[in-house]
């Protein structure tokens, strides 16, 4: 929405790790938005991020990549591709982390009806541990860095 570059999050008051992950993504977004698109103007919008625990199992602290994509989606007014989920996390410097408990995360994705899963390239070796019957139910799409993740999630070439 129109604004001055303010970031506000809701639904995360009890989870310090989740708040930190969201703040990391926003700091990275403000510092690196021009490497994603020169049309992003941070100071002309306010960014609101409501977080919900739909499964009732607790919030994850691995939201930075997904939030970055959400912020870019809002800034560029371009939706994330349908039935797509983004897994992975990053540091404030933009380093992409390997996904822990990959098979379990993938099972949750399949159970939720996800068709396409964006996966950090750092986790490609873990695919060998995923049961084949689970892997064939989704289309894995690998991303190498934050810009690649945004482009693939938004369907930008």
């Amino acid at each position: 929405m129109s604004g001055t570059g303010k970031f506000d999050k809701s639904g995360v008051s009890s989870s310090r790790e989740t708040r930190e992950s969201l703040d990391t993504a926003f700091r990275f977004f403000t510092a690196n938005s021009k490497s994603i698109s020169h049309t992003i103007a941070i100071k002309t919008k306010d960014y609101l991020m409501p977080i919900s625990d739909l499964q009732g199992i607790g919030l994850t602290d691995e939201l930075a990549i997904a939030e970055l994509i959400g912020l870019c989606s809002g800034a560029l007014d371009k939706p994330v591709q349908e039935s797509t989920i983004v897994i992975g996390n990053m540091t404030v410097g933009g380093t992409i982390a390997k996904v822990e408990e990959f098979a379990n995360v993938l099972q949750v994705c399949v159970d939720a009806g996800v068709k396409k899963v964006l996966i950090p390239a750092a986790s490609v070796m873990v695919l060998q541990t995923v049961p084949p019957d689970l892997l064939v139910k989704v289309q894995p799409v690998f991303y190498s860095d934050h810009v690649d993740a945004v482009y693939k999630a938004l369907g930008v070439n």
Side-chain angles (χ1 to χ4, degrees), residues 79-139:
V80 173
Q81 291 187 10
E82 195 171 309
S83 297
T84 300
I85 192 163
V86 179
I87 58 176
N89 203 19
M90 71 176 181
T91 65
V92 72
T95 302
I96 307 295
K98 182 181 87 170
V99 177
E100 300 297 323
E101 298 188 40
F102 185 74
N104 291 336
V105 171
L106 199 57
Q107 182 65 58
V108 171
C109 295
V110 168
D111 292 347
V114 170
K115 302 294 182 212
K116 185 185 293 186
V117 180
L118 285 155
I119 303 167
S123 295
V124 74
M125 296 304 291
V126 182
L127 282 178
Q128 299 170 346
T129 66
V130 176
D133 61 317
L134 180 60
L135 196 55
V136 298
K137 295 179 181 176
V138 295
Q139 175 189 357

Side-chain angles (χ1 to χ4, degrees), residues 1-65:
M1 65 190 285
S2 294
T4 60
K6 184 177 118 180
F7 175 61
D8 189 26
K9 55 195 170 292
S10 62
V12 294
S13 60
S14 63
S15 177
R16 180 183 61 81
E17 293 87 4
T18 301
R19 283 193 316 273
E20 288 175 1
S21 181
L22 295 172
D23 290 340
T24 294
F26 189 71
R27 284 191 302 273
F28 188 86
F29 173 68
T30 57
N32 297 283
S33 61
K34 294 302 180 195
S35 69
I36 296 166
S37 174
H38 291 290
T39 63
I40 295 176
I42 303 292
K43 300 295 183 187
T44 62
K45 293 185 179 186
D46 282 345
Y47 300 87
L48 310 173
M49 184 70 56
I51 305 294
S52 298
D53 180 8
L54 298 176
Q55 301 288 332
I57 56 174
L59 295 174
T60 181
D61 61 349
E62 295 187 4
L63 293 172
I65 292 288

